[in-house]
Amino acid sequence: MGLLRLSSLSLFCQLAFLCAQGRVIAGRHWGSDEEQIMPNRVLLVKPKQASLVAHSKVPIDPALNVFFTLDDLKAGKQMPIYFPSKLADPSKSSRLLTREQSDSIPFSSAQLSHLLSFFSIPEGSPQAKAMEYTLMQCELEPIEGETRFCTASLESMLDSAREVFGPKAQFRVLTTTYLPNKKQNARDDPLQNYTILQAPKQIDETRVLGCHTMAYPYMVFYCHSQAKSENRVYQISLGSGGGEDGGGERSVEAVAVCHMDTSLWDRDHVSFRVLGVEPGSSPVCHFFPPDNLVWVAP
């Protein structure tokens, strides 16, 4: 399981190294393929017509197979889960900027035309639409009790995490990790049936800040934290391929969060459609892909 403890400079150096290696933060490819430039789809997605999700009878995007309920959290439970096929090739991924670099570039939907010209991106292209979506998400007003921000550098992310948790808080970061395949030529399909291999481990820390990568010409994280509602973070060992031992196709040490109170969420939030529940009626849980970060603190 990717897990790092905070010691300001040391954590920054570790995160920067992992970014360069493509292990923790593999930025989304910035190309012409729609699948590569789709915005992060853990919490921010809009439903599309595609295949069935286990909890729903409505056809939706296969990538939405990341949502589940607390009742699913038990050893031996099998469910379809969408994880990206592989971490992005660092040489083709969105670039990680320094704070000085990111601060020098406008980041506003009002500046979209200028930004498209600056990055030589045609108006109306899939990349342009993804940029617009990212900027709009980053400009949304937070709901009651929520902290929400976007950041484009590790320095800014660490500073923002300190503001959320407090300057003296001892916090750490968790990530989902792919383990080496148990057998050669194992399937690497994004959507596979996974088995929970052992009882999920609940993380002791109660404060959570989730950071999701967004589609943009350089690496951008959308981070949010809900201070006034309970969230539970779990580390979950998963294996794909069928059978109680996971079958050996792919092994994942996953991080997931369960939002215990969704009463203030938008009724149109896609998770309610996937799970077939109403706001406030049931906790909503979801897995994090490997290019996301989950900060936790006591």
Side-chain angles (χ1 to χ4, degrees), residues 80-120:
I81 307 172
Y82 185 100
F83 288 114
S85 296
K86 57 184 176 181
L87 293 179
D89 180 350
S91 67
K92 300 178 181 178
S93 300
S94 300
R95 180 186 175 193
L96 179 67
L97 302 184
T98 65
R99 177 167 19 212
E100 182 179 3
Q101 291 171 326
S102 64
D103 288 348
S104 70
I105 303 173
F107 191 79
S108 167
S109 58
Q111 296 283 332
L112 180 59
S113 295
H114 167 73
L115 290 167
L116 293 176
S117 176
F118 181 81
F119 290 111
S120 300

Side-chain angles (χ1 to χ4, degrees), residues 205-224:
E205 290 88 342
T206 57
R207 292 188 290 168
V208 182
L209 174 67
C211 292
H212 315 284
T213 52
M214 301 292 284
Y216 211 70
Y218 53 86
M219 195 176 293
V220 170
F221 289 90
Y222 169 96
C223 302
H224 61 118

Side-chain angles (χ1 to χ4, degrees), residues 18-242:
L18 292 170
C19 288
Q21 297 299 313
R23 284 180 53 199
V24 170
I25 311 167
R28 298 186 181 278
H29 288 238
W30 189 248
S32 59
D33 187 275
E34 179 183 1
E35 180 66 21
Q36 293 177 339
I37 66 171
M38 282 293 292
N40 189 286
R41 291 184 285 189
V42 174
L43 289 177
L44 310 176
V45 68
K46 293 181 179 180
K48 299 194 315 184
Q49 298 298 313
S51 63
L52 288 173
V53 174
H55 293 281
S56 174
K57 296 181 180 180
V58 182
I60 59 176
D61 187 345
L64 295 178
N65 284 271
V66 294
F67 295 103
F68 60 95
T69 68
L70 271 178
D71 292 339
D72 295 322
L73 279 179
K74 52 190 176 184
K77 174 68 178 181
Q78 296 185 5
M79 66 179 86
I81 307 172
Y82 185 100
F83 288 114
S85 296
K86 57 184 176 181
L87 293 179
D89 180 350
S91 67
K92 300 178 181 178
S93 300
S94 300
R95 180 186 175 193
L96 179 67
L97 302 184
T98 65
R99 177 167 19 212
E100 182 179 3
Q101 291 171 326
S102 64
D103 288 348
S104 70
I105 303 173
F107 191 79
S108 167
S109 58
Q111 296 283 332
L112 180 59
S113 295
H114 167 73
L115 290 167
L116 293 176
S117 176
F118 181 81
F119 290 111
S120 300
I121 295 173
E123 291 191 18
S125 66
Q127 293 93 334
K129 293 177 181 178
M131 282 184 66
E132 181 179 19
Y133 180 89
T134 292
L135 291 169
M136 290 177 62
Q137 289 295 324
C138 290
E139 293 172 356
L140 287 175
E141 290 294 323
I143 63 176
E144 182 181 350
E146 182 186 40
T147 298
R148 179 184 295 180
F149 60 88
C150 286
T151 181
S153 70
L154 291 183
E155 302 101 312
S156 296
M157 188 187 301
L158 284 171
D159 286 348
S160 297
R162 290 190 189 97
E163 291 180 9
V164 171
F165 296 129
K168 297 183 179 181
Q170 295 296 311
F171 54 94
R172 55 178 177 154
V173 62
L174 307 173
T175 65
T176 289
T177 303
Y178 295 156
L179 302 181
N181 288 333
K182 298 178 182 178
K183 58 184 181 182
Q184 295 181 345
N185 301 319
R187 293 189 306 117
D188 197 31
D189 303 328
L191 181 61
Q192 296 190 35
N193 286 315
Y194 286 87
T195 300
I196 297 179
L197 302 180
Q198 57 192 36
K201 176 185 177 182
Q202 183 174 348
I203 300 302
D204 292 334
E205 290 88 342
T206 57
R207 292 188 290 168
V208 182
L209 174 67
C211 292
H212 315 284
T213 52
M214 301 292 284
Y216 211 70
Y218 53 86
M219 195 176 293
V220 170
F221 289 90
Y222 169 96
C223 302
H224 61 118
S225 176
Q226 188 71 31
K228 293 187 177 181
S229 63
E230 181 185 358
N231 297 295
R232 299 179 187 176
V233 179
Y234 294 89
Q235 294 175 324
I236 306 172
S237 297
L238 300 167
S240 69

